[in-house]
Amino acid sequence: MSLRLTQPDENGGQPWQGLKPGQIYLQRRRRTMATLRGKLVVAQSGGPTAVFNSSACGVIQEALKHDDVFDGVYGASNGIMGVLHENMIDMRKESPESIEAMRRTPASTLGTCRRKLDKNDLERILDVCKAHDIRYFFYNGGNDSMDTANKVHKMAVDAGYEMRAFGIPKTIDNDLVETDHCPGFGSAARLMALATRDVGRDTESGALTTTPINIMEIMGRDAGWLTGATAIGRKDERDAPHLIYMPEVPLTIEKFLDDVKKVHDRLGFVIVALSEGVRDPEGNLLMKSSQLDAFGHTQLGGVGDFLAKTITDTLGIKSRTNIAGTIQRSLISMASPVDLEEAYQVGQMGIKYALEGKSGYMVSLVRESDDPYSCTTGLAPLDKVANLTKEVPREMINEAGNDVNETFLKYVTPLVGEIPPSYPRFKKHAIGQLLEAYQR
Amino acid sequence: MSLRLTQPDENGGQPWQGLKPGQIYLQRRRRTMATLRGKLVVAQSGGPTAVFNSSACGVIQEALKHDDVFDGVYGASNGIMGVLHENMIDMRKESPESIEAMRRTPASTLGTCRRKLDKNDLERILDVCKAHDIRYFFYNGGNDSMDTANKVHKMAVDAGYEMRAFGIPKTIDNDLVETDHCPGFGSAARLMALATRDVGRDTESGALTTTPINIMEIMGRDAGWLTGATAIGRKDERDAPHLIYMPEVPLTIEKFLDDVKKVHDRLGFVIVALSEGVRDPEGNLLMKSSQLDAFGHTQLGGVGDFLAKTITDTLGIKSRTNIAGTIQRSLISMASPVDLEEAYQVGQMGIKYALEGKSGYMVSLVRESDDPYSCTTGLAPLDKVANLTKEVPREMINEAGNDVNETFLKYVTPLVGEIPPSYPRFKKHAIGQLLEAYQR
């Protein structure tokens, strides 16, 4: 699917369309003062990111400014589990300093979970919300979490229980629909782009006598945004990565080996950026679809190790794999400043939209301009977001299916913050050779 | 073995003992002006580090200041291979900007290699040095590279060819003897300490419903310095890593599982910092010594994957492994400022010592004080350095052999640069529970 930018209430032609978030807020605030009093709960769900807490902090800090509306600001421990089990903490009793520190703390300070809600769970959630007079529900997460937020929203509507439910987006995979991009993605992209560029130099340095092929196995089982983003740091054809494989484009072992060999013949070394979810033309994970017998245990080592071994066995060239794993989503020292700030804003704006009386939306990011980059927030109906995956559109991938193109780079580049310039290479003015060639 | 700090000419009682590098240089320069004119070659060898080029840059920039001595400043392409094949580049013809850029470029700008010299190689090197009037030889690398530098030094002495040969230390493994520490180590330690701390928070966040055990597989086949350094960022017992295993202390699968279970029982999640070279009591690599049959191909996945699978199979707790691989030694965005500067200094001081007439030494780092940290350079005879490995002394490891102690931390902490403070945790003032416990 193609990228679709979301405007708040795009069908309604609301008067605040085209205004900045602050303007929207002020304008609406004048028209409809929020009157629903009650407690607010915020929860985090799914795999954390480096800026996950920045979003939760945005919700909490903004909510704490409005004690005329929020009788309590609760953080649920471990996502919806905390609501189900009434394990919630009172944010008013935490120090402002430790709440502020969330903006620079990786992972999930409240704790996260993975849980698909069933009917009993929803009844319990209603009971808990009623018992505690919870009237505002903020769920911070990815595709599955938007499903949870949506179910809670609908549960309240169906029960006639007045409550405002919001999804706050998060995922390094960047695969939520109805938003230009997702908080968490820019930071992971920054880390993996710089790591890939630097690993490229490392591999190039020693290609002559050590290991000339290095595969970066990158998170994103269904969408290749993060894998593609490793291309940001390139300046010339020697800069890594040289090949990019994403789940969106089917790949065969033969095609892969052919691509690798061509780059190796040309440059003498190869860096491959490989999505862990890369698939064959039948849609099966590449590793599973090929010689499993020769491979042994699929639990041990992913597709990167499998392909590295295939290269070594078939082409006779030493290969290795780097699997940064959960470092990709947690190393806050490498966070993108843009991402940190936007993550905070989607949380903060969630409160402002809730005070306007909205419910059943995910706060989205709406790009206004690429250069200079500018982005505002919008609202996407949870119904249109839950459980859907935004893949990289085919038109952002090169024709051969082994790299991204300029359209992709234009989209991704502003999200990662300023990237230090690539490293120069020497011109290599060779000295004259005075002796016979050495034959050993 | 214990740490031994090296003083220049410690047996000779030279008058410059106790002086700062600059003072040594000035004092000696007054007494013995360098008179050996000729060309200089610098080469880089072995696995790169983030600050490898900073050292080479120190040699080159300092050498370029002395054209009264150096008739040419050459960089050998791909280490000693460049000398053997006369593939050397003229550093005077490179722009000062691209030479200066080496200070912020990861890996090896000149290219590196792994090659153990034989008799024919040494004869060829002598021929090349004579043909080009190379009188200064700088070799930047680790244990094997110091052997190369030493052999070249002895070759020249034996042949009566006047030449000054130096080793410039480098290794993220920090396993060179006769130096307090090695350039490259501090930067890798900084990255892995911060990555481990952040992965700890990530794992803690989701331990309830996802993967509560995460193994960080860390470089260092023979020495555990880098693995131990992951302990730098801890503030309390929940901060990662909770267990540290290094090659210096034998480990059995039973002991490992017992340790992991105890931490899991106590905290509910576990981060293990694991050297790739961890060994059993017979001295075999842990993975090889155990059920290879149940494991299949040893080429695929290292000891981390093997132990993660063992945990899952035996304890029934989900486990995973992060293998940062060559990212550990190349991500210059995470470099330690201390390390970057010291790497430059060992290169620069090599030139100064060479101008004094020395040969056959590695430039060492000599710690003067822990707090405030201060370090100067010294000289270690290559004969005492080549091919030796400095392991972590047993007295820097805790009694149980599964963590480092305060002595280790005191040694390592100043080398990584300032580490941002650990992240606070909420006090978690629970709200009162109003309903019956939820049973699902």
Side-chain angles (χ1 to χ4, degrees), chain A residues 148-268:
Chain A
T148 298
N150 198 29
K151 281 178 171 163
V152 169
H153 166 68
K154 287 184 166 161
M155 169 274 291
V157 170
D158 290 348
Y161 178 74
E162 198 177 0
M163 186 164 82
R164 298 175 189 168
F166 280 84
I168 304 296
K170 169 263 6 169
T171 164
I172 67 166
D173 293 347
N174 197 40
D175 59 356
L176 285 168
V177 300
E178 301 288 329
T179 181
D180 179 71
H181 58 280
C182 304
F185 169 62
S187 294
R190 179 181 186 78
L191 167 60
M192 293 315 290
L194 289 169
T196 301
R197 187 167 82 181
D198 291 357
V199 163
R201 284 301 178 112
D202 181 278
T203 305
E204 183 177 353
S205 292
L208 202 64
T209 62
T210 57
T211 305
I213 300 180
N214 204 323
I215 296 173
M216 307 289 283
E217 187 181 301
I218 295 170
M219 280 185 161
R221 194 154 280 268
D222 299 313
W225 295 103
L226 184 56
T227 303
T230 57
I232 293 169
R234 293 190 303 212
K235 198 177 68 175
D236 68 36
E237 70 153 8
R238 286 167 294 180
D239 286 343
H242 310 104
L243 294 166
I244 296 176
Y245 299 108
M246 307 189 264
E248 287 84 352
V249 181
L251 182 65
T252 63
I253 305 282
E254 296 66 34
K255 160 81 170 145
F256 174 78
L257 291 172
D258 188 52
D259 282 356
V260 166
K261 188 173 182 312
K262 277 182 186 148
V263 176
H264 186 263
D265 286 349
R266 195 172 78 240
L267 299 177

Side-chain angles (χ1 to χ4, degrees), chain B residues 72-88:
Chain B
V73 178
Y74 292 169
S77 295
N78 294 106
I80 201 65
M81 306 283 287
V83 178
L84 291 168
H85 296 283
E86 293 177 273
N87 288 328
M88 294 179 274

Side-chain angles (χ1 to χ4, degrees), chain A residues 319-356:
Chain A
S319 309
R320 62 168 296 156
T321 308
N322 292 331
I323 308 169
T326 54
I327 299 172
Q328 292 168 81
R329 66 189 194 198
S330 47
L331 191 64
I332 198 162
S333 310
M334 293 292 288
S336 154
V338 175
D339 191 28
L340 273 168
E341 183 54 31
E342 289 182 344
Y344 187 83
Q345 279 175 14
V346 292
Q348 190 181 33
M349 287 303 296
I351 295 295
K352 296 190 172 179
Y353 291 130
L355 292 176
E356 301 301 320

Side-chain angles (χ1 to χ4, degrees), chain A residues 86 94 108 112 114 118 121 124 202 205 209 297 300 322-323 326 329 427-428 434 436 438 440, chain B residues 86 94 108 112 114 118 121 124 202 205 209 294 322-323 326 329 427-428 434 436 438 440:
Chain A
E86 293 177 276
E94 302 292 342
S108 162
T112 174
R114 288 189 196 277
D118 63 20
D121 291 342
R124 170 71 175 191
D202 181 278
S205 292
T209 62
H297 294 271
L300 300 175
N322 292 331
I323 308 169
T326 54
R329 66 189 194 198
K427 293 207 162 41
K428 302 204 171 176
L434 304 174
E436 296 280 307
Y438 192 52
R440 297 163 54 85
Chain B
E86 293 177 273
E94 301 294 342
S108 161
T112 175
R114 290 188 194 278
D118 64 18
D121 290 343
R124 170 70 176 193
D202 182 277
S205 293
T209 60
N322 291 331
I323 308 168
T326 54
R329 67 190 194 199
K427 294 207 160 45
K428 301 202 173 177
L434 304 174
E436 296 280 307
Y438 193 52
R440 297 162 55 84

Side-chain angles (χ1 to χ4, degrees), chain B residues 317-387:
Chain B
I317 308 168
K318 268 185 88 174
S319 308
R320 62 168 296 155
T321 308
N322 291 331
I323 308 168
T326 54
I327 298 171
Q328 291 168 80
R329 67 190 194 199
S330 48
L331 191 64
I332 198 162
S333 310
M334 292 291 290
S336 155
V338 175
D339 190 28
L340 274 168
E341 183 54 31
E342 289 182 345
Y344 188 83
Q345 279 175 13
V346 294
Q348 190 182 33
M349 288 303 296
I351 295 294
K352 297 189 171 179
Y353 291 130
L355 292 174
E356 301 299 323
K358 294 274 179 190
S359 181
Y361 291 94
M362 177 182 82
V363 179
S364 62
L365 287 164
V366 183
R367 188 182 303 217
E368 293 179 320
S369 159
D370 285 326
D371 189 15
Y373 173 70
S374 114
C375 197
T376 183
T377 57
L379 289 172
L382 283 169
D383 255 342
K384 290 191 179 179
V385 177
N387 298 317

Side-chain angles (χ1 to χ4, degrees), chain A residues 38-44 56 59-60 63-64 70-77 82-83 86-93 110 128-129 131-138, chain B residues 429-432 434:
Chain A
K39 297 198 182 65
L40 174 145
V41 67
V42 57
Q44 299 175 299
V59 172
I60 294 164
L64 289 173
F70 304 115
D71 292 331
V73 178
Y74 292 168
S77 295
V83 178
E86 293 177 276
N87 289 328
M88 294 178 272
I89 63 174
D90 186 341
M91 300 313 302
R92 287 186 180 164
K93 293 189 178 158
L110 297 171
V128 171
C129 289
H132 291 273
D133 194 31
I134 291 170
R135 299 287 179 171
Y136 294 88
F137 178 83
F138 280 78
Chain B
H429 298 275
I431 61 151
L434 304 174

